[in-house]
């Protein structure tokens, strides 16, 4: 698993996950929408911590800076 996510990408994903959590806990979203967005939030958090997005690999995308 080669890292393919840059720091800006990780920050944006974590911010989106936090926003989804806030919307859920303030009861703005609920039901099926909350479940689907919650799943996306969990995926965003996991991919941010491991710095790897599986959807980037087949397309050769990398937001990580070249060293």
């Amino acid at each position: 698993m080669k890292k393919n996510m840059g720091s800006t990408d990780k920050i944006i994903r974590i911010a989106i996950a936090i926003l989804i959590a806030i919307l859920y806990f303030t009861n703005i979203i609920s039901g099926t929408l909350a479940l689907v967005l919650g799943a996306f939030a969990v995926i965003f958090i996991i991919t941010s911590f491991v710095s790897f997005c599986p959807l980037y690999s087949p397309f050769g995308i990398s937001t990580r800076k070249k060293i």
Side-chain angles (χ1 to χ4, degrees):
M1 215 168 43
K2 187 177 179 184
K3 293 182 179 184
N4 62 4
M5 287 178 57
S7 59
T8 305
D9 194 0
K10 291 192 278 187
I11 290 169
I12 291 170
R13 287 171 182 255
I14 290 172
I16 291 171
I18 290 170
L19 177 64
I20 292 169
I22 290 170
L23 292 174
Y24 175 75
F25 288 116
T26 57
N27 292 322
I28 294 174
I29 59 172
S30 62
T32 305
L33 178 63
L35 290 174
V36 171
L37 291 178
F40 277 113
V42 169
I43 292 168
F44 282 173
I45 294 293
I46 292 170
T47 57
S48 293
F49 283 121
V50 296
S51 298
F52 177 75
C53 179
L55 291 177
Y56 286 179
S57 292
F59 302 106
I61 299 171
S62 177
T63 58
R64 193 167 180 216
K65 290 183 181 178
K66 305 287 185 212
I67 298 175

